[in-house]
Amino acid sequence: MSIDRRQFLKIAGISALGAGTAAANLIWKNSLEAIQAAPAEEGLTAKKWAMVIDMRKLKTEEDYKKITDACHSIHNVPDFGNPKDEVKWIWTDTYEHAFPGQENEYLPEAIKEKPFPLLCNHCENPPCVRVCPTQATFKRQDGIVMQDEHRCIGCRFCMAACPFGARSFNYRDPRPFIKEKNPEYPTRTKGVVEKCTFCTERLVKGLMPACAEKSNGAIAFGDLKDPNSEVRKLLSANYTIRRKQELGTQPSVFYIIGGSEK
Amino acid sequence: MIEKALTGSSRYWIWISFLLAVIGVGFIFYLKQLSYGLGITGLSRDVSWGLYISQFTFLVGVAASAVMLVIPYYLHDYKKFGKIVILGEFLAVAAVNMCLLFLLVDMGQPMRALNIFLYPTPNSIIFWDAVALNGYLLLNIVIGWTTLESERYSAPPPRWVKPLIYLSIPWAVSIHTVTAFLYAGLPGRHFWLTAVMAARFLASAFAGGPALLIILSMIVRRLSKFDPGREPIQAISKIVTYAMLANVFFFLLEVFTAFYSGIPGHKHPFQYLFVGLEGHGKLVPLMWLSVILAAAALILLVNPNTRKNEKTLLAACAAVFVSLWIDKGFGLIVGGFVPNPFERVTEYWPTLAEALITLGVWAIGILILTVLYKVAVSVREETAGADTEH
Ligand code: SF4
Ligand code: SF4
Ligand code: SF4
């Protein structure tokens, strides 16, 4: 465990536990495994976090905007206003681009045109973790794929390795481009990679991910290993698909496509 | 021996000053990149590696190619390479230095570069590449320097270098194989996900590196009294010919698999590179230039008359080098990122700053090469009983 990662966890720990230096010292001593094994009382834990996105429940443009805005504003995601430098944690694209190779031209128009929310899949078998030369990108015991922004050397190998385009690189200093800074969440620096974290900072506080919370029930989040969890119930009751399953990364984000209803 | 690099003709010093000027310009732009971030380059979220990483890839090949001289000379006792093998080893030293610099300038957080060794991660190919490259650099510096030193005193090289020389042979193959693995093991990048990648890398390396060596030998011959000789150059030209044929063959294998299978993901990068995709085709003219140069080079190389004529051989070698530079030092990396994981096309083109930084790194490599060759040539001139002044 490096000083860098400890510092990172310390920051995460402070905001997460909201318990000042005592708690931070605890994490400092007990490192990563400690927060996984012993989170604050009210924290949410799981053997394997997963998400089910029910496309039937996402209807208006407003529905999508609430989700992406919630994530980007609380996580200090910058808006550079150009696609070249773009940083994004959750965004949308059409079926054809979200699930390339699975499209066919006779799909219902409603599905063809519908925007699908896309984010890091927190893969069970993540190539981004496999290739990272510094372990700055790592998988936690609960399945969440995280990165340590203080250790990342900015080689962007993980971006080449991720088949889902989930990762963004800070091509410039992001701080001047954050609309409204959330003081409770760390900002990043230029030259490091970032992506969705499944809202680890909220889970430890007992809160659901921000996108799930703002989705009016369209996004379910829960423990894939718990047969009684909401995600498992949805998965056993509906036909779901995942992105690029053939690559074997085992995404933890599932989509219920639904029929042609708008 | 290094003092030999400190005396030279005015032409030598003008050349050195020119290189220093190019390095200076590159360095100024690198400082700009450090303060602004990699946004100064043409790279984007979709094409996240570009000119820097492709130069790195290309130069690993140049470095590995020294083995094409080492094997005949040391394993098959092909004495005629005796004079020229040092040029190959020193070329490898310069090339590996450039490789490492290109990796460094590509990093978003170069101050943390040592994290690769502080947190060694054997499941990451970059870790193995860093180990392989640094090891190869060390091997070639030690081997080149000691053999040259003993030659200077007309003594046989110390016995402990022999095992190092033998070690350098598989090591050279390993640096390029590991570099190919950087790409060939990534799911979802169809252009790179091919088992023939490492073989293709080695073939193009053994064509491009020796072609450069022939060009360099001819330059050395013109500028100094050291003549590598006609025969070794002819022998190397055969290596270039076979390796280039193998390289083109491997490339055609890829084309067959992509288009006969008809799998869209496999076809798209080729389409993007050679005919354009969805109206985007910035690289098309370059890629065709590469094809034409490769074809022209092969015609000149396969025909024994033009291969034996040093003028046409020089033209062929230049064509091989430029063709492979375009193919591997540019198209291969960009092609892997187009189309992106969402089947959308984002194009890449380097910016001026990026190009100047790239030139700066090349100039550092050429400076290292010039100094090392100067030493080697001076020693040769001395031992040949020639006048040391020039
Ligand atoms: S989606 Fe990409 S970034 Fe996320 S875990 Fe999978 S490979 Fe890694
Ligand atoms: S960019 Fe950072 S997180 Fe990604 S592979 Fe490199 S060091 Fe790891
Ligand atoms: S889980 Fe959290 S970090 Fe990930 S997209 Fe949703 S809100 Fe953003």
Side-chain angles (χ1 to χ4, degrees), chain A residues 1-4 83-88 91 93-94 96-98 100 118 127 129-135 148-157 159-173 189-192 243-244 247 249, chain B residues 33-50 52-53 106-110 112-117 119-127 181-183 185-190 192-193 278 337 340-344 351:
Chain A
M1 222 24 63
S2 76
I3 298 298
D4 280 351
K84 188 171 114 44
D85 298 328
E86 188 177 32
V87 174
K88 55 189 178 188
W91 66 102
D93 210 331
T94 58
E96 178 193 358
H97 296 288
L118 304 172
V129 172
R130 200 183 311 145
V131 302
C132 179
T134 62
Q135 295 151 45
D148 178 342
E149 320 283 5
H150 294 91
R151 189 189 281 193
C152 172
I153 57 174
C155 65
R156 309 188 298 296
F157 203 4
M159 292 177 82
C162 171
F164 305 101
R167 303 184 147 256
S168 304
F169 181 71
N170 285 285
Y171 281 102
R172 305 170 58 179
D173 181 7
T189 167
K190 66 168 180 276
V192 298
R243 295 173 65 201
K244 303 190 183 178
L247 298 179
T249 71
Chain B
Q33 177 182 304
L34 270 185
S35 70
Y36 183 88
L38 277 159
I40 203 171
T41 66
L43 297 170
S44 62
R45 197 177 186 280
D46 288 328
V47 184
S48 44
W49 282 338
Y52 299 151
I53 290 295
D106 185 68
M107 272 179 202
Q109 290 285 342
R112 302 180 188 162
L114 283 180
N115 280 1
I116 296 179
F117 297 104
Y119 311 104
T121 312
N123 51 280
S124 174
I125 304 289
I126 290 196
F127 169 73
F181 286 175
L182 286 178
Y183 309 104
L186 302 182
R189 303 275 175 199
H190 302 292
W192 298 337
L193 191 75
E278 293 170 17
F337 287 105
N340 73 3
F342 310 100
E343 296 286 336
R344 287 186 186 279
T351 59

Side-chain angles (χ1 to χ4, degrees), chain A residues 120-123 126-128 145 162-164 166-167 195:
Chain A
C120 168
N121 286 297
H122 297 272
C123 306
C128 56
V145 174
C162 171
F164 305 101
R167 303 184 147 256
K195 65 167 190 69

Side-chain angles (χ1 to χ4, degrees), chain B residues 1 73-74 81-87 89-90 143-158 226 375-384:
Chain B
M1 276 193 301
Y73 182 61
Y74 287 104
F81 276 177
K83 281 170 138 187
I84 206 170
V85 77
I86 187 81
L87 298 185
E89 284 158 352
F90 281 168
I143 294 169
W145 203 256
T146 19
T147 46
L148 190 64
E149 187 116 64
S150 24
E151 189 180 309
R152 185 182 181 195
Y153 300 112
S154 313
F226 166 52
V375 173
V377 165
S378 308
V379 169
R380 283 293 146 72
E381 287 175 336
E382 231 173 60
T383 50

